[in-house]
DNA sequence: TTGTAAGCGTTATCAG
DNA sequence: CTGATAACGCTTACAA
């Protein structure tokens, strides 16, 4: 910048004014400065800019579980779009359900003075972090603090899915999900239990599988369910997220027993599958969009108490969930 | 930091030393400083750190087409993993094949002084940018400059795919891809032509569809091909990327004429599809990994001439590409 | 309309 | 081992 000033024969401040489009610069002077900037290929150092100006670095921090999961990449897409619209950049980091990594990443983002954090939390406590940086929690509520939150209607969606299976006469309905340490898994289990309860169907604890996390583990769990003796075998399965649904579909492909499945979260090519997948789904793009809207509202100075938003889910009937109970 | 110094009764520089683990601080002093840092919840301002220290902000910039495309999200995942390993953060931006947006984003990243750029370029010229920031080009070569590059074996992969169809007796093989303004589309078309040529099969220009970009457009194009009169209709289709493959599969689902399809790029649930998808695929995670390795090599001071890496492709036979030509 | 001086939060230099 | 001082590249406040 000093070079530009010298080349244009003006002071630093004048260059600064031109760069930031501030008024009070003669047309001829501005011209000379612009020319010098172009000639020298000068680009303002945003780090210095932010440091001096205080406040915003025009950057958002987004913490998710895993970019390669379409559910999260849709969230990333939404936040990116919103950020671009406001001239913000986005730092994304995947924490793979590791609270310690999550804390480290939040620290790194805060040291870089991101303006706001959007967090799909693996459960780390961010109480102290939020005192200086506004944050919006996505998909799971924060622990230990109160903050803006955008969640799915997990229990409602799960209930809807199970009701759909019950309505077709299924009684032995299995539940396959992550460990109950996951908040969403707990919520969806609650929805499953509520639906079973309301229908007066007793839950067989053998049919509740809350261990698998990865796809292969889900496949194994479902294969286990399918090899139960006829009377104890489920006639339908509710897979509580996209990984478990994929796992279940793989198991059913290898052992086609005419078992119905409904998943939670949509699948990329659900309509092209051998048995098109019936799912209950929320809209992850919408979640990301709403979270960004919240973040910007806070950055624009909104002061009120934490806001909780719940994104609805809907049932998409495609075939896999409409298989009638087999006569055992 | 001043507060910390005061609270610990030392000078700024001593605090700085403790924070950065520099030697030359008495154990007792260090203890006091550490305590003060914890008590005040102090976090170093990395912006100021970078400004003063010069050089790295420990941040990488990654420009891709679209995060929600699994091909790109795998690249993001790989770069994220590599970045984390070195303590770097990653700013990702999707440019949707818009060269102007790409230029803007590069400028924004450079102003923030990212240490290196990884670019899936829509064709913008980055000649000037690269004079100060090392860059690695992914999936497509740079225009107007020479730089480190990680590409897929596009022509080879396409050729392999078409040879696979030819080997089964197909002669009327359609080619469906993006416009030829896309470098990858051109390369894959070249591979298609080479395979046809080598087999002595003349290419029917009616069967070469290089307009569709989005999935629906690909579906329409393929439906168009399928409604050609029997003698002119293709008996096989080569879909030159994942979007076109999905489009083709949708068209074939709606009009099941026993036409073979091979795609370029793998699909998420290829094995679970009604007709499991035969594809030629490169490994996008590996591409991202290699690009990150290149970037860090440059950051570590490697000086040599630009390096070009080519990631191989392999054919995955699953069913959709093994349908014999229908007797017309 | 333009310029000067001070300072954002940190680190490098060099003296104590 | 420790600290004063200048400087990183920029902007604000206040002159001129």
């Amino acid at each position: 910048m000093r070079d530009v000033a010298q080349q244009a024969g003006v002071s630093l401040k004048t260059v600064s004014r031109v760069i930031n489009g501030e008024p009070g610069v003669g047309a001829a002077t501005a011209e000379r400065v612009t020319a010098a900037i172009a000639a020298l290929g000068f680009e303002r150092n945003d780090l210095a800019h932010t440091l001096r100006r205080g406040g915003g670095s025009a950057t958002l921090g987004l913490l998710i579980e895993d970019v390669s999961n379409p559910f999260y990449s849709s969230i990333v897409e939404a936040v990116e779009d919103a950020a671009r619209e406001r001239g913000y950049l986005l730092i994304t980091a995947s924490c793979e359900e590791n609270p310690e990594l999550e804390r480290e990443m939040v620290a790194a983002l805060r040291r870089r003075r991101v303006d706001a954090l959007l967090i799909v939390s693996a459960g780390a406590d961010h109480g102290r972090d939020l005192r200086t940086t506004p944050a919006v929690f996505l998909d799971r509520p924060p622990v230990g603090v109160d903050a803006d939150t955008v969640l799915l209607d997990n229990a409602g969606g799960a209930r809807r899915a199970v009701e759909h299976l019950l309505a077709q006469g299924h009684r032995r309905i299995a539940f396959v999900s992550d460990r109950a340490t996951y908040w969403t898994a707990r919520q969806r289990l609650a929805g499953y239990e509520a639906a079973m309860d309301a229908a007066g169907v007793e839950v067989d604890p053998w049919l509740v599988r809350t261990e698998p996390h990865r796809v292969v583990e889900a496949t194994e769990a479902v294969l286990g369910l399918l090899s139960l003796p006829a009377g104890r075998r489920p006639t339908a399965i509710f897979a509580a997220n996209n990984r478990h649904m994929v796992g279940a579909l793989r198991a059913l492909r290898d052992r086609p027993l005419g078992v119905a499945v409904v998943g939670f979260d949509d699948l990329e090519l659900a309509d092209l599958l051998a048995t098109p997948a019936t799912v209950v789904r929320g809209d992850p793009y919408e979640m990301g969009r709403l979270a960004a809207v919240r973040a910007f509202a806070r950055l624009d100075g909104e002061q009120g108490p934490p806001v909780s938003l719940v994104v609805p889910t809907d049932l998409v009937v495609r075939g896999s969930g409409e298989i009638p109970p087999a006569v055992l």
Side-chain angles (χ1 to χ4, degrees), chain A residues 200-222:
Chain A
V201 179
E202 204 167 338
V203 172
D204 178 351
W206 280 89
L207 301 188
V208 176
R209 286 279 182 280
T210 54
E211 317 88 36
H213 177 70
R214 294 180 304 138
V215 172
V216 282
E217 292 158 1
T219 300
E220 280 164 25
V222 173

Side-chain angles (χ1 to χ4, degrees), chain A residues 4 13 22 50 55 80 99 118 143 167 169 171 176 180 206 209 244 257 264 270-271 275 294 311-314:
Chain A
V4 174
K13 178 61 216 184
E22 286 172 34
T50 302
E80 250 187 26
L118 310 207
V143 313
R171 288 299 173 267
V176 182
W206 280 89
R209 286 279 182 280
H244 296 90
L257 289 173
F264 203 115
D271 59 319
T275 23
R294 281 282 79 224
V311 172
T313 56
D314 63 318

Side-chain angles (χ1 to χ4, degrees), chain A residues 44-260:
Chain A
R44 182 180 75 183
N45 184 330
D46 272 3
L47 271 48
H49 172 86
T50 302
L51 178 59
R52 176 63 241 235
R53 198 152 178 275
S57 60
T59 308
L60 258 33
L62 173 61
L63 258 45
I64 56 178
E65 185 184 337
D66 168 20
V67 239
S68 68
N69 183 324
F71 181 81
Y72 296 107
S73 63
S74 291
I75 291 178
V76 176
E77 188 189 9
V79 177
E80 250 187 26
D81 288 348
R84 178 169 42 238
E85 209 165 284
R86 299 266 305 224
Y88 279 61
L89 248 32
L90 180 63
I91 302 182
T92 307
S94 299
C95 299
E96 291 158 20
E97 294 292 351
N98 178 342
E100 199 174 334
L101 183 56
E102 178 181 330
R103 289 201 58 79
E104 269 175 44
M105 287 304 187
V106 166
L109 290 167
R110 286 169 43 72
R111 282 196 303 267
R112 276 176 184 67
R113 299 298 188 263
V114 296
D115 298 288
L117 289 164
L118 310 207
I119 306 177
V120 176
S121 177
D125 184 338
H126 298 294
R128 302 193 67 167
D129 299 323
L130 306 198
R131 289 189 308 198
T132 46
T133 311
V136 181
F137 286 80
L138 268 157
D139 195 43
R140 307 162 200 182
V143 313
V145 237
D146 209 18
D148 287 347
T149 308
V150 179
L151 302 173
L152 271 185
D153 177 17
N154 289 290
R159 181 167 179 157
R160 183 87 191 72
V162 177
E163 282 169 353
H164 182 67
L165 292 167
L166 286 164
Q168 290 164 73
H170 290 283
R171 288 299 173 267
R172 299 193 58 73
I173 302 174
F175 176 85
V176 182
S177 83
D178 268 310
R179 266 158 259 135
T181 49
Y182 291 77
W183 184 82
T184 48
R186 285 203 301 282
Q187 295 293 306
R188 294 171 191 182
L189 178 55
Y192 163 83
E193 290 172 337
M196 297 289 269
D197 230 56
V201 179
E202 204 167 338
V203 172
D204 178 351
W206 280 89
L207 301 188
V208 176
R209 286 279 182 280
T210 54
E211 317 88 36
H213 177 70
R214 294 180 304 138
V215 172
V216 282
E217 292 158 1
T219 300
E220 280 164 25
V222 173
L223 284 173
L225 288 167
L226 296 179
S227 48
L228 287 171
R232 315 201 44 191
R233 189 191 303 156
T235 65
I237 294 168
F238 171 50
N241 78 35
N242 54 8
R243 289 191 316 276
H244 296 90
M245 182 60 168
V246 172
L249 291 171
R250 292 235 164 91
L252 290 167
R253 179 199 53 189
D254 296 344
R255 200 181 258 260
L257 289 173
V259 168

